[in-house]
Amino acid sequence: MITNDKILRMNSLYYLSIVLMTLLTIASCVPTTMETTGSSKLRPADAYDEIQKLATKLATSSDPNDAEMLIEKSKVFINRHGKFKHADEVYYVLGITLVQFDRVEEGIAILDELIRYYPVATYFASASLILGLAYDKISMHDEADKVYTKLMNNSKYRDGKYAQTAQKLLQTDLADRRVAFKGWSDSTEAFGSANFVGQVAMDFEVTDLNGQPLSLEKYRGQVVLLDFWATWCPPCLAEMPNVKQTYAKYKNQKFQIIGISWDRGIKPLEDYIEKEGIQWPQYYDNDSRISNMYQVRAIPSTFLIDGNGIIRMTNLRGSALEAGVAQLVQENLGR
């Protein structure tokens, strides 16, 4: 996450999505060098289900205790059930959890193993992008560039959303990237937005980039994602494909996004919106009017608001974002 003078750590988890293909021949080559941190009497499928539940819980709680439990159980699973068909998926969850909770070098090692041993896995492209972000996080920008470049040149994934995001990150000025990721592991303010959960979302009356009135009241009765971001923010760019995908899926089901931009000028924002075909309203918060209302000190930062105007979830990312929106949309349509 990015502040004006420092970057807070990544505040969300890309948790489990779809079942992966069985890769027993590759799984048999996965080294089991990690020390087992406990014993497990669960069957592999039960242990896998337990990890799924922990990952889902962590996506919204960001609780360090939940993270530690997930890390330990994932390590045990990989050591004991390396040939299980979802071992690569557990590798993925373990790697991104380690990165998220500031054990970046460990996370890099796990993600690197995943990419080397599961080159055709569903998570290959997303794991590659996260690996690059992890290198950026610890100022190893040259290594990050190698990962981004390799993803862009991969014949299977080069036309996908993760490769496109990697290209955008490579095109970001390196000086900006260095500033952006400096101190990213400082988590002192990372979960401040969670204090708003359960409260009525504060309304505002502004004018969007198209000169139209913009307020939360305008969308009362709809599920609203209040999204604080900027075009110069690498994690924001990395998350944008998920935001666009979620919008496309639910925009006709009483769901709206309001973008609150921290850009340094209107033109970069307008150019990016036009290039990416972003359709939801945007407000250029150059005086921090709305950011101060919601005490946002870092981006990307999001508030998911239900049809009654109550903030229900904050800082969802990846699959967790779509799952959260799906839950509130279903509730709202059922009222």
Side-chain angles (χ1 to χ4, degrees), residues 106-175:
E106 293 179 69
I108 286 174
I110 293 296
L111 291 169
D112 184 64
E113 286 187 12
L114 168 60
I115 290 168
R116 284 189 290 118
Y117 288 101
Y118 297 92
V120 296
T122 301
Y123 292 115
F124 179 91
S126 55
S128 296
L129 181 61
I130 294 170
L131 176 61
L133 290 170
Y135 275 124
D136 267 329
K137 182 175 182 178
I138 57 175
S139 299
M140 295 180 66
H141 304 296
D142 289 342
E143 292 300 318
D145 287 353
K146 291 177 184 178
V147 175
Y148 297 146
T149 301
K150 186 177 293 186
L151 177 58
M152 288 170 52
N153 292 333
N154 187 295
S155 59
K156 182 177 180 180
Y157 302 107
R158 62 189 175 196
D159 295 325
K161 61 181 181 180
Y162 296 108
Q164 291 172 6
T165 300
Q167 183 177 14
K168 292 170 188 172
L169 292 173
L170 280 172
Q171 293 170 346
T172 301
D173 186 87
L174 185 56

Side-chain angles (χ1 to χ4, degrees), residues 20-24 26-28 30 48 51 74 77-94 110 114 118 123:
L20 301 179
M21 65 179 65
T22 303
L23 299 170
L24 295 180
I26 296 178
S28 64
V30 177
Y48 168 75
I51 289 170
S74 297
F77 184 95
I78 290 172
N79 277 276
R80 290 183 174 272
H81 310 301
K83 294 185 178 182
F84 185 68
K85 61 182 178 180
H86 297 307
D88 52 346
E89 192 172 5
V90 177
Y91 254 94
Y92 179 74
V93 172
L94 174 59
I110 293 296
L114 168 60
Y118 297 92
Y123 292 115

Side-chain angles (χ1 to χ4, degrees), residues 163-229:
Q164 291 172 6
T165 300
Q167 183 177 14
K168 292 170 188 172
L169 292 173
L170 280 172
Q171 293 170 346
T172 301
D173 186 87
L174 185 56
D176 283 345
R177 281 169 59 192
R178 284 172 177 158
V179 172
F181 285 96
K182 184 179 180 181
W184 195 22
S185 62
D186 183 355
S187 61
T188 55
E189 301 175 23
F191 305 121
S193 58
N195 296 329
F196 286 86
V197 173
Q199 296 186 23
V200 176
M202 293 171 286
D203 199 9
F204 47 81
E205 294 183 4
V206 296
T207 301
D208 68 16
L209 289 184
N210 294 322
Q212 299 299 313
L214 181 62
S215 67
L216 287 178
E217 182 63 31
K218 179 179 179 179
Y219 298 105
R220 182 59 61 87
Q222 299 186 42
V223 175
V224 176
L225 179 70
L226 197 57
D227 183 19
F228 294 81
W229 71 295

Side-chain angles (χ1 to χ4, degrees), residues 12-18 51-60 70 89 92-93 96-97 100 123 126 130 316-327:
S12 110
L13 175 67
Y14 285 16
Y15 74 98
L16 308 176
S17 56
I18 62 175
I51 289 170
Q52 277 190 315
K53 291 176 182 178
L54 276 171
T56 302
K57 180 181 179 183
L58 184 62
T60 54
L70 178 60
E89 192 172 5
Y92 179 74
V93 172
I96 58 180
T97 304
Q100 179 188 5
Y123 292 115
S126 55
I130 294 170
L316 300 178
R317 304 283 183 268
S319 299
L321 172 61
E322 183 172 335
V325 171
Q327 176 187 331

